[in-house]
Amino acid sequence: TSGQVLTSGGSGAAVSWATPSGGAWEVVTTQALSSSYTTGYVENTGWSNSYARYAVMLDGIASTTNFKIWIQIYADNTSGSTGTLITSSNYHYSAWRTKIGGTNSGGVVGLQYSNSYQPQHILAYNTGYSTYTAGEFIFPMNNNSTGNAFKRWSGRHIAYDEEFLQDSCWLSESSYHTTGVRVSFYNTSNNAYVTPTDGRVTILRMKYS
């Protein structure tokens, strides 16, 4: 078939045609954002601990008005299932802000922002809003079915001319496995969806080998 390669069958065995497996990272799904995409969020479920980690890539997301980005996860005791969207007030998060090419107000190079016991992870809390955002977040998978069920993820993103370094979150949740994510776009009052007019959200997953 077009695109296949010849693969060794091992010592003394014949070669065979196979589909290339690609690199360590592979695309799970990608969603282009435009005025025709009016859902207000992008989500993906069915995450499996057969993979080492998942990543959410935010590429050139733009809107005509300032917006914030929320992250909420799905969780379940069964890896690979759809799971349940976690909206309980157990998200704890913080971010470190630097201004690109200058200093923040008061001459401070970096400012830390944090919040606890919230129903979602708001990127950079109340300061990370802009008409443009780009960044990436990594979600390690829990490969055990017992023990510590805390969920942890981190990443960084740019909102206009400010970069938010190690924007991290941990979630106290009894279900063992992270099974998905919802990335939402909200207005600066956190009470209504904003529809981005450009950009893309891509979900990746990393193989163990």
Side-chain angles (χ1 to χ4, degrees):
T1 302
S2 176
Q4 288 189 315
V5 296
L6 283 172
T7 304
S8 170
S11 178
V15 297
S16 61
W17 290 105
T19 300
S21 59
W25 287 98
E26 60 184 13
V27 175
V28 178
T29 184
T30 184
Q31 176 63 59
L33 303 173
S34 66
S35 57
S36 62
Y37 188 79
T38 59
T39 306
Y41 61 86
V42 176
E43 65 179 14
N44 179 255
T45 59
W47 291 11
S48 169
N49 64 4
S50 296
Y51 294 87
R53 55 187 53 195
Y54 284 72
V56 174
M57 313 300 293
L58 308 172
D59 295 315
I61 300 173
S63 172
T64 56
T65 59
N66 285 329
F67 65 93
K68 298 179 181 180
I69 295 181
W70 291 13
I71 290 179
Q72 294 169 307
I73 68 164
Y74 284 80
D76 199 86
N77 283 330
T78 301
S79 175
S81 68
T82 299
T84 301
L85 181 66
I86 307 302
T87 59
S88 57
S89 297
N90 286 320
Y91 290 82
H92 310 261
Y93 49 92
S94 65
W96 185 263
R97 182 180 75 172
T98 63
K99 191 172 184 66
I100 301 171
T103 58
N104 295 308
S105 60
V108 180
V109 175
L111 293 173
Q112 186 176 11
Y113 294 91
S114 62
N115 207 358
S116 294
Y117 299 105
Q118 299 299 310
Q120 70 283 309
H121 172 196
I122 303 177
L123 302 194
Y125 189 29
N126 284 327
T127 63
Y129 56 83
S130 173
T131 57
Y132 174 89
T133 295
E136 62 278 332
F137 286 82
I138 301 294
F139 296 77
M141 292 293 99
N142 177 11
N143 59 6
N144 297 309
S145 60
T146 59
N148 191 337
F150 285 166
K151 313 297 184 294
R152 301 173 178 87
W153 58 92
S154 65
R156 65 182 189 177
H157 65 103
I158 296 172
Y160 187 56
D161 65 346
E162 294 181 321
E163 183 175 20
F164 297 87
L165 304 169
Q166 292 303 313
D167 194 337
S168 304
C169 184
W170 72 270
L171 171 68
S172 176
E173 165 55 32
S174 59
S175 300
Y176 296 126
H177 303 290
T178 301
T179 57
V181 69
R182 174 180 287 187
V183 179
S184 304
F185 311 101
Y186 270 86
N187 62 12
T188 56
S189 298
N190 295 316
N191 58 14
Y193 285 126
V194 169
T195 303
T197 55
D198 198 8
R200 184 178 294 273
V201 178
T202 302
I203 310 294
L204 308 174
R205 62 190 179 192
M206 176 186 278
K207 304 171 188 177
Y208 276 109
S209 61

